[in-house]
Amino acid sequence: MTQREFSQFVKQYEKLVFTICYQFVKDYHEAQNLSQETFLSAYRHIDDYQGDNYKPWIARIATNKAKDYLGSAYARRVMLASSEENSVEAMASVRLTDPSEQPDEAYISQESSGQIEQMIRSLHEPYREVCILRFLEEKDTQQIADILHRPKKTVETQLYRARTMLQKQIKEVYSHEKE
Amino acid sequence: MKKNDASPASNPLFSFDGHLTDTAFKLLMEEKLDPLQSLEVSEHLSFCDRCLERYTDILSGVPLLTEETDVPATVRLIEPPASLHTGIMQAIRDKTRVIYLHKFGSLAVAASLALVFWSGGLFTSTHLPSMGGLVDGVRSSSQTILEQTTELSDNIGDFFRSLQNDLLRWKYHNASPHND
């Protein structure tokens, strides 16, 4: 595709792409950056595209760009929160009589597997099926990806997030019990 | 221990078959998804053709009819800033220029090498008739390049030596009590 043709392509889909980016990130400036990245990516691959309908193709690129942005932002937030939590935990652990006893481990050792299973089954989608297959049916990520028709990378990130949710739930339950 | 209900927690964004609900699309259109929900929905759209098709249909004005009745019939696409198109085309031009520079840079290097070999006599007819001639040609070129390189390095060496002498003379002159 020539630059002139691509310019027409940009004009045709810029509203769609910008709307998609904006609906996900809700930031005008960031939506503009992501739209630009979307079209640059499209320019690199447009000659390899086999289909005849560009709309879902460009919409998928835009969604992927938004997903990558949101994923990084989420990871940053989680890392920040966990570092704050860790410092609180470190302070709290000073008061423990046995410093080697970690709250999670102590709790899990008392917890019956049935109760953990209940927690897993009570997760909402898109985490429930992934966790059942991983933790209860002990499938590996590739098998889960094949069963659920999701990319392996998506399964991995969903498992990571689900694990964080479960850890949080366990901590909450443990702290309620301590009180 | 708090008892957990074994039934799945309700998530209005995903149906039992794992696809996005009308509510998910509605919240997305109204920009009411929280960051994690936005991530979950975008993650799903990145691999699910069915939901992506629905999403692009909705953005093209096809109304949502199945579960919700209060979903807006038409969706207004957001007007991007005027600079978006210009910025994209400028970025593409810049990228293309860099690619061409790399290509022509490689060509220029190849041409320079060819010139060096040619000037060394590698491509002359006396060297070409046989492989032995080719080897002689390469040897002759290498010899020429070696001689030229040696000459160049000698010249550079001489230059630095004279520079060093000048500096020493200048230093000695400045350090002398009778220099003024």
Side-chain angles (χ1 to χ4, degrees), chain A residues 24 55-57 59-61 63-64 67 126 145 148-151 154 158, chain B residues 13-15 17-21 25 39-57:
Chain A
F24 281 110
K55 193 185 271 187
W57 180 70
R60 172 142 292 152
I61 301 175
T63 313
N64 272 320
K67 180 199 79 176
L148 297 178
H149 306 291
R150 293 178 197 177
T154 304
Q158 287 175 344
Chain B
L13 306 182
F14 291 89
S15 61
D17 57 358
H19 290 285
L20 293 175
T21 58
F25 286 118
L39 177 57
E40 289 166 357
V41 171
S42 64
E43 215 163 50
H44 183 79
L45 288 171
S46 71
F47 65 83
C48 180
D49 290 339
R50 186 178 121 181
C51 291
L52 185 78
E53 198 181 329
R54 275 199 81 201
Y55 182 38
T56 48
D57 281 350

Side-chain angles (χ1 to χ4, degrees), chain A residues 1 35 52 58 64 70 79 85 138 145 154 166 169 173 175:
Chain A
M1 190 179 268
S35 302
D52 49 358
I58 194 79
N64 272 320
L70 292 166
M79 274 171 70
E85 267 177 32
E138 294 179 1
T154 304
L166 285 168
Q169 274 189 43
V173 172
S175 63

Side-chain angles (χ1 to χ4, degrees), chain A residues 3 6-7 15 19 23 26 32 39 55 60 64 77 107 111 119 122 124-125 127 157 161 177, chain B residues 1 4-5 9 11 31 33 35 40 43 45-46 48-49 55 60 78-79 83 85 88 92-93:
Chain A
Q3 280 191 26
F6 193 76
S7 174
K15 272 189 188 180
T19 304
Q23 283 180 345
K26 299 181 200 103
Q32 197 177 343
F39 281 112
K55 193 185 271 187
R60 172 142 292 152
N64 272 320
R77 267 200 309 279
Y107 179 72
E111 198 55 81
M119 280 185 186
S122 68
H124 63 69
E125 284 299 343
Y127 308 106
T157 52
R161 247 178 269 141
E177 256 197 359
Chain B
M1 161 85 199
N4 277 294
D5 192 352
N11 183 1
E31 295 147 26
L33 294 174
E40 289 166 357
E43 215 163 50
L45 288 171
S46 71
C48 180
D49 290 339
Y55 182 38
S60 307
I78 305 166
E79 191 71 46
S83 58
H85 180 267
I88 291 163
I92 286 170
R93 273 193 291 275

Side-chain angles (χ1 to χ4, degrees), chain B:
Chain B
M1 161 85 199
K2 244 185 351 189
K3 287 281 170 194
N4 277 294
D5 192 352
S7 63
S10 62
N11 183 1
L13 306 182
F14 291 89
S15 61
F16 255 119
D17 57 358
H19 290 285
L20 293 175
T21 58
D22 280 0
T23 308
F25 286 118
K26 185 174 181 281
L27 292 172
L28 177 61
M29 295 297 138
E30 292 171 353
E31 295 147 26
K32 284 180 180 166
L33 294 174
D34 68 32
L36 180 58
Q37 289 174 326
S38 293
L39 177 57
E40 289 166 357
V41 171
S42 64
E43 215 163 50
H44 183 79
L45 288 171
S46 71
F47 65 83
C48 180
D49 290 339
R50 186 178 121 181
C51 291
L52 185 78
E53 198 181 329
R54 275 199 81 201
Y55 182 38
T56 48
D57 281 350
I58 296 162
L59 288 173
S60 307
V62 177
L64 288 164
L65 293 169
T66 51
E67 297 164 29
E68 309 275 337
T69 51
D70 58 342
V71 170
T74 54
V75 177
R76 195 174 57 85
L77 293 180
I78 305 166
E79 191 71 46
S83 58
L84 180 66
H85 180 267
T86 329
I88 291 163
M89 294 317 293
Q90 186 57 49
I92 286 170
R93 273 193 291 275
D94 291 347
K95 232 174 185 83
T96 315
R97 200 171 296 136
V98 169
I99 291 166
Y100 273 111
L101 269 174
H102 281 165
K103 269 186 188 168
F104 284 119
S106 312
L107 272 176
V109 169
S112 307
L113 279 172
L115 271 173
V116 167
F117 285 131
W118 178 70
S119 65
L122 177 66
F123 305 124
T124 54
S125 58
T126 53
H127 292 129
L128 284 177
S130 66
M131 277 305 284
L134 187 65
V135 171
D136 287 341
V138 172
R139 194 178 294 139
S140 149
S141 306
S142 310
Q143 191 67 34
T144 314
I145 292 166
L146 187 67
E147 278 164 14
Q148 282 173 356
T149 316
T150 315
E151 197 181 333
L152 185 67
S153 69
D154 285 349
N155 288 342
I156 292 170
D158 288 342
F159 169 74
F160 277 109
R161 261 191 298 280
S162 76
L163 190 69
Q164 197 180 8
N165 288 337
D166 287 348
L167 275 171
L168 280 170
R169 265 200 298 278
W170 180 81
K171 200 177 164 187
Y172 177 76
H173 177 74
N174 280 339
S176 161
H178 311 292
N179 58 355
D180 50 0

Side-chain angles (χ1 to χ4, degrees), chain A:
Chain A
M1 190 179 268
T2 62
Q3 280 191 26
R4 189 183 291 248
E5 286 165 342
F6 193 76
S7 174
Q8 283 305 312
F9 176 85
V10 174
K11 276 182 187 157
Q12 190 177 346
Y13 292 111
E14 64 179 351
K15 272 189 188 180
L16 176 83
V17 167
F18 187 77
T19 304
I20 291 173
C21 294
Y22 187 79
Q23 283 180 345
F24 281 110
V25 301
K26 299 181 200 103
D27 179 286
Y28 200 77
H29 183 68
E30 207 49 61
Q32 197 177 343
N33 286 342
L34 292 175
S35 302
Q36 182 156 332
E37 281 181 30
T38 300
F39 281 112
L40 287 178
S41 194
Y43 184 71
R44 275 198 295 273
H45 302 289
I46 200 158
D47 291 328
D48 303 327
Y49 179 61
Q50 303 290 321
D52 49 358
N53 188 3
Y54 285 115
K55 193 185 271 187
W57 180 70
I58 194 79
R60 172 142 292 152
I61 301 175
T63 313
N64 272 320
K65 293 287 172 196
K67 180 199 79 176
D68 291 344
Y69 172 81
L70 292 166
S72 313
Y74 178 81
R76 275 198 302 275
R77 267 200 309 279
V78 169
M79 274 171 70
L80 196 71
S82 73
S83 68
E84 279 168 7
E85 267 177 32
N86 285 344
S87 60
V88 171
E89 267 177 22
M91 283 162 69
S93 70
V94 176
R95 284 178 287 173
L96 289 172
T97 49
D98 179 6
S100 67
E101 188 182 299
Q102 291 300 307
D104 280 359
E105 286 168 17
Y107 179 72
I108 289 166
S109 64
Q110 292 164 12
E111 198 55 81
S112 71
S113 59
Q115 284 165 326
I116 302 279
E117 186 181 327
Q118 275 185 331
M119 280 185 186
I120 292 168
R121 289 194 188 279
S122 68
L123 284 170
H124 63 69
E125 284 299 343
Y127 308 106
R128 188 172 168 271
E129 286 296 321
V130 171
C131 285
I132 288 173
L133 290 168
R134 182 75 190 97
F135 302 126
L136 305 182
E137 297 182 20
E138 294 179 1
K139 303 255 192 276
D140 64 33
T141 45
Q142 187 56 59
Q143 287 172 312
I144 300 168
D146 294 340
I147 293 167
L148 297 178
H149 306 291
R150 293 178 197 177
K152 193 179 168 204
K153 187 103 182 106
T154 304
V155 170
E156 284 166 358
T157 52
Q158 287 175 344
L159 275 171
Y160 173 78
R161 247 178 269 141
R163 207 175 278 130
T164 313
M165 287 172 188
L166 285 168
Q167 278 170 351
K168 204 174 165 189
Q169 274 189 43
I170 291 170
K171 265 181 199 163
E172 274 172 16
V173 172
Y174 175 76
S175 63
H176 279 300
E177 256 197 359
K178 285 282 260 188
E179 285 164 15

